[in-house]
Amino acid sequence: MKLSLGPVQYYWPRDVLLRFYKEVAASPVDIVYLGEVVCSRRHEMRLPDWIEVAQRLREAGKEVVLSTQVLLESGSDVASMHRIAEQEEFQVEANDMGAVRCLSGKAPFVAGPHLNLYNADSLQWMAGLGARRWVAPLEMKRTDLAVLQQSRPPGLQTEVFAFGRLPLAFSARCFTARHHNLPKDDCRFSCIADPDGMLLSTREGEPFLVLNGIQTQSARVHSLLRDFESAAAIGVDVLRLSPQAKSMMDVIGLFDEVRRGTRSPEDADRQLRALLPGAECNGYWHGRAGLENAAAEAR
Amino acid sequence: MSPAPTVTDSAAAARPFELVCPAGSLPALRQAVDHGANCVYLGLRDATNARNFAGLNFDEAAIAAGVSYAHSSGCKVLMAINTYPQAADPKPWHNAIDRAVDLGVDAVIMADPGLMRYAAAKHPRLRLHLSVQGSATNYEAINFYHEQFGIQRAVLPRVLSLEQVRQVVDRTPVEIEVFGFGSLCVMVEGRCALSSYVTGESPNTHGVCSPAKYVRWQETPAGLEARLGGLLIDRYAPGEKAGYPTLCKGRFDVGDEQSYYAVEEPTSLNTLELLPQLMKMGVCAVKIEGRQRSPAYVAQVTKVWREAIDHCLREQHRYAVKTGWMAQLDQLAEGQQHTLGAYHRPWK
C-alpha cells in the first residue's frame, strides 16, 4: 500500500514550509499533494513556488500532485484554479467540480475528498471523465467502501484519509478572523499564528473543533493506523496522511513501519498517541460518529 | 476548456422572477400556494431529501394531492431528492426519481452526479435543478453540470457576496436561485460533516443536520443545558431564550474568549433589501428556507415576500423595504434577528 502526504491545511510561514518539504523528500511517503486548498488570501507561497517544491520532490522520487482550492468563491479563486489545471508538468487533484470540468478529457487527475463521490454511479462517471484515483469522502464507512471497491472502474485507484485532523467543513466566514473581531477581507492573515489551528472547546472544557480560517476541523485526530489491515483487506491503494505542525516525520515513520510489517499496528498506535495534538478517533471508518474511537476490527 | 457563456442584460431582464417556498407538509404547501408562491419544494419522508425531520415531509398520496392543489393555482412543485445515494443501496434514490416523474412534479432538485446521470438518461424530459447540497459556488462547476446532465437551474450556497453572485450569473446560461430568508447555514452546504462527526448522521448521508434523536435537554444548577450526542452545545441562564442545539450555533470557548458564538449566532438570513439588485443582475428565483417550520410560518413569510417581489417588479427604482415587512419577518426569525450574511462582505 502507498502512503501519501495530503496538502498542508494550515497557513505556515514560507521558510517553515520549505523546511518541511525538505524533510518530506527524505521521508518514506510515495505521493505528495501540494498547494493551498483552504484560503486564497494566504500568499506565503505562489504557484511558481509550489512548482519549485514539486520539482525537488519529484527529483527525490516522489509522485507529486498539485491540489486545487476546495471553495472557489471569487473570480480570482477560479483564475488560480485555471492556472493549476492548465500547467502540464504535474498531475492535479480536483477539489471542486469546476476543477473537474477544466481537467476532464485533458489529463488524468485525482478526484479529491470534497467531491462527494458516495456511490458506484458517481464513481463510474468520475472515472469516465479521466480520474485515475479518487479519495473517498471522510464520512464513508469501511463497509460502504468495500461495496464500492467491488464495482470499482478498472484503472481507478482508491485513496482514504487515514491520518490527521478531519477537514469537516468550509464556510463563508473566516472563524479565525471572527475570533479576532476582524472582517474576512481584512483578516491580517491572523491564521499564520496558529500552525495547528485554534482549538474550540465546549463550555465544559472538552476539545471539540479546530478553527482554521474558513475551514473547521475536528479537534480529535483521525487515525486508521490500528485499522490498517481492514483497509488493506478491501484493496485500498493509498493512505493519506494530513500534515500536522509537530512530529509529522515520526507519524509517517510509524505508518511506514506498519505497512512494511516491521511493527504491529497496536504497537505503532501506542507510539503514535504520544505524538498527537489531540485525542484519537476513527469512528467514521467503523460506521459511527466521526469523533468516536472504536476498537480495530480485523478483516 | 470552452469559453464561458455570457448572458445579456436583456435576456436576464426577460426572465421571470420566482418565489420558491418550503413545504414540509401538505398544510404548509396549501399555505404557500394560497399566499402567492410561484413554486413550492417538498421531499419524501425518508433519507432521499436533505430535510429528513421526524414527522415532516410527504408520502406519495400527499405529493399527488399537493401537485394537484398547486397546479390548479398555477404554482409549480419542485421535489428535492438532494442527499447522496449511499453505496450499499442507491435504489431508494432511483425510485424517488421515477416516482417524481409519475407524480408529475415540475422539476427535481438534486445534488448527486450519479443520480443526475440516472435521471437524465431515464427521464430526458425531466427538468433538473442543482441543489444547494451540490456545493456549486462558481460558473465552472455550474456549467459543468449543465453540459453533463442538462441542469436548468442551480441553487447557490449561502457563501457568496452579492458581487460574486453577479459574476456567476454573468457567466452561465443556467438559471440561478439564491436564498432569501430563513435559518442561516454558514457552511458550504454539501461540504459540512460536523453533524456526522458528532452523531454519525449528516445532511449528505441521512438528510439531516443535528438530528433530534441525539438532542438532550437537562435542567442543572448552572442553567438549562442543551446537548447533542453528549456534547454540551449551549447552556442558558434563567430567563434566557433557548434555541435548538444545532451544533454550529452553540456557545463555545476559543483561546481566552469564553462562551461565544464562535461559528454562528442564532439569526436568520433576510435579503429583502437586496431584491432590486438580485432582479437586476438576472437572478431568477429566491428561495425561502424552512421545511421544518409550521404552516402559519410559511403563510406569513410567503405573504410578505410576495408583496415585496410584486412591489419590486412594478417599481424597481422606487422599491424600499417597508418597515412592516421587516417587523413581521423579524418576529419569525431565529433569535428575532436578521443578517445579510455573506452577501454583505464586512460580515464577521
Side-chain angles (χ1 to χ4, degrees):
Chain A
M1 193 164 352
K2 289 189 172 178
L3 294 179
S4 75
L5 185 73
V8 171
Q9 314 269 332
Y10 309 103
Y11 195 24
W12 291 353
R14 184 189 168 81
D15 56 331
V16 172
L17 276 170
L18 295 178
R19 216 178 316 132
F20 178 74
Y21 283 113
K22 218 168 173 177
E23 290 179 342
V24 170
S27 79
V29 293
D30 307 282
I31 305 165
V32 184
Y33 292 86
L34 292 177
E36 176 55 53
V37 294
V38 175
C39 178
S40 58
R41 288 178 59 78
R42 296 173 173 179
H43 280 157
E44 289 278 302
M45 298 278 280
R46 294 176 188 268
L47 184 57
D49 303 315
W50 286 119
I51 301 256
E52 234 180 278
V53 172
Q55 288 163 340
R56 261 181 265 138
L57 287 166
R58 185 173 57 192
E59 282 160 24
K62 309 300 180 198
E63 178 191 328
V64 183
V65 184
L66 300 178
S67 296
T68 67
Q69 198 170 299
V70 176
L71 172 56
L72 304 175
E73 289 185 313
S74 66
S76 66
D77 291 346
V78 176
S80 304
M81 180 273 286
H82 282 160
R83 282 194 290 276
I84 295 169
E86 282 158 15
Q87 61 76 42
E88 290 174 348
E89 198 177 342
F90 294 98
Q91 277 186 57
V92 177
E93 175 184 53
N95 279 315
D96 178 85
M97 285 300 177
V100 175
R101 183 192 195 211
C102 298
L103 292 161
S104 68
K106 190 183 144 230
F109 62 93
V110 179
H114 305 288
L115 292 182
N116 289 338
L117 304 170
Y118 283 96
N119 53 65
D121 287 340
S122 294
L123 208 52
Q124 289 276 348
W125 173 70
M126 192 52 71
L129 295 167
R132 60 177 281 270
R133 183 157 67 231
W134 74 294
V135 190
L138 304 176
E139 299 178 309
M140 186 169 283
K141 56 188 174 208
R142 178 183 56 81
T143 51
D144 276 357
L145 186 58
V147 169
L148 292 184
Q149 289 292 84
Q150 300 192 352
S151 61
R152 173 160 58 146
L156 186 73
Q157 298 176 354
T158 298
E159 180 168 338
V160 168
F161 188 98
F163 174 83
R165 284 184 152 151
L166 294 157
L168 294 172
F170 293 81
S171 176
R173 238 179 200 155
C174 172
F175 302 113
T176 306
R178 177 176 166 83
H179 176 76
H180 295 293
N181 200 25
L182 295 167
K184 185 177 173 186
D185 286 346
D186 181 23
C187 66
R188 302 185 204 163
F189 312 104
S190 38
C191 61
I192 204 162
D194 308 307
D196 265 329
M198 301 182 85
L199 184 66
L200 175 153
S201 302
T202 69
R203 289 159 78 183
E204 292 175 316
E206 184 168 349
F208 176 24
L209 300 171
V210 162
L211 306 179
N212 174 37
I214 64 149
Q215 186 193 60
T216 305
Q217 301 181 335
S218 62
R220 295 192 186 177
V221 184
H222 172 80
S223 168
L224 297 186
L225 190 51
R226 273 179 298 157
D227 299 291
F228 181 87
E229 282 158 18
S230 71
I234 59 168
V236 170
D237 301 281
V238 182
L239 292 184
R240 173 176 294 209
L241 316 181
S242 184
Q244 62 181 34
K246 285 184 189 149
S247 311
M248 196 58 203
M249 298 309 135
D250 297 333
V251 171
I252 294 171
L254 289 170
F255 272 86
D256 184 48
E257 285 184 81
V258 168
R259 75 163 160 170
R260 287 176 196 281
T262 56
R263 198 191 275 267
S264 75
E266 295 71 29
D267 181 38
D269 187 60
R270 269 192 295 278
Q271 304 270 330
L272 181 73
R273 266 177 264 164
L275 306 174
L276 303 182
E280 216 178 31
C281 67
N282 63 358
Y284 280 139
W285 187 248
H286 296 270
R288 295 159 65 170
L291 56 68
E292 289 185 33
N293 196 15
E297 15 179 335
R299 245 202 71 158
Chain B
M1 190 185 30
S2 47
T6 56
V7 178
T8 62
D9 275 358
S10 56
R15 282 175 175 167
F17 189 87
E18 293 186 335
L19 174 61
V20 183
C21 294
S25 65
L26 199 49
L29 179 145
R30 291 201 186 99
Q31 292 299 327
V33 172
D34 293 351
H35 288 88
N38 299 105
C39 311
V40 289
Y41 63 101
L42 51 75
L44 286 167
R45 194 171 288 159
D46 61 26
T48 64
N49 85 88
R51 287 290 181 276
N52 181 21
F53 294 108
L56 284 178
N57 298 317
F58 288 69
D59 57 21
E60 286 191 30
I63 294 180
V67 168
S68 158
Y69 190 83
H71 284 178
S72 68
S73 296
C75 176
K76 294 177 201 159
V77 177
L78 317 179
M79 184 163 152
I81 308 172
N82 58 346
T83 49
Y84 290 85
Q86 297 299 292
D89 186 17
K91 272 188 240 75
W93 283 265
H94 292 167
N95 290 341
I97 298 283
D98 299 339
R99 293 285 83 76
V101 173
D102 295 343
L103 289 161
V105 305
D106 298 277
V108 287
I109 309 171
M110 289 193 292
D112 182 69
L115 194 61
M116 280 185 226
R117 190 158 81 148
Y118 172 86
K122 188 148 184 222
H123 307 289
R125 295 218 309 256
L126 178 63
R127 188 179 155 93
L128 309 185
H129 290 190
L130 178 65
S131 167
V132 69
Q133 293 296 127
S135 317
T137 54
N138 59 88
Y139 71 89
E140 289 284 16
I142 292 166
N143 290 344
F144 190 48
Y145 286 106
H146 180 61
E147 290 159 5
Q148 292 282 318
F149 313 113
I151 62 154
Q152 293 178 60
R153 180 178 296 184
V155 186
L156 293 184
R158 284 161 275 192
V159 295
L160 300 182
S161 69
L162 204 56
E163 183 50 36
Q164 289 166 348
V165 174
R166 185 198 316 275
Q167 288 172 8
V168 171
V169 173
D170 283 351
R171 304 192 76 171
T172 180
V174 174
E175 297 171 5
I176 295 298
E177 177 174 317
V178 300
F179 276 86
F181 184 80
S183 269
L184 181 66
C185 176
V186 291
M187 301 305 184
V188 189
E189 290 93 336
R191 283 190 184 146
C192 179
L194 290 176
S195 183
S196 66
Y197 179 64
V198 176
T199 70
E201 301 186 7
S202 77
N204 283 3
T205 59
H206 291 73
V208 63
C209 168
S210 308
K213 65 181 169 193
Y214 297 95
V215 171
R216 294 284 175 277
W217 294 96
Q218 199 176 7
E219 223 25 285
T220 74
L224 177 64
E225 291 182 348
R227 289 178 186 272
L228 185 74
L231 276 176
L232 181 65
I233 302 299
D234 214 337
R235 184 189 282 143
Y236 302 92
E240 194 178 9
K241 197 170 177 291
Y244 185 85
T246 307
L247 58 92
C248 59
K249 291 178 182 168
R251 280 176 287 193
F252 302 105
D253 300 342
V254 181
D256 51 11
E257 195 85 30
Q258 305 288 303
S259 182
Y260 79 111
Y261 294 109
V263 178
E264 181 183 352
E265 297 93 347
T267 178
S268 283
L269 178 74
N270 185 349
T271 63
L272 265 190
E273 66 178 89
L274 304 179
L275 255 183
Q277 286 152 284
L278 292 170
M279 283 182 186
K280 197 163 168 232
M281 69 173 68
V283 164
C284 81
V286 68
K287 184 176 204 110
I288 308 298
E289 186 274 349
R291 276 192 280 157
Q292 72 282 23
R293 302 294 197 128
S294 69
Y297 173 95
V298 172
Q300 289 174 71
V301 178
T302 305
K303 184 167 169 286
V304 170
W305 274 81
R306 179 77 271 153
E307 213 179 308
I309 290 171
D310 288 346
H311 176 60
C312 196
L313 284 170
R314 267 194 321 270
E315 38 199 332
Q316 216 173 89
H317 298 291
R318 287 172 43 207
Y319 173 86
V321 176
K322 291 187 180 160
T323 46
W325 297 340
M326 227 35 151
Q328 284 180 65
L329 292 181
D330 277 351
Q331 286 288 313
L332 306 167
E334 223 179 318
Q336 281 74 54
Q337 312 179 68
H338 67 265
T339 170
L340 286 174
Y343 294 113
H344 178 61
R345 285 310 276 185
W347 181 59
K348 288 189 280 205

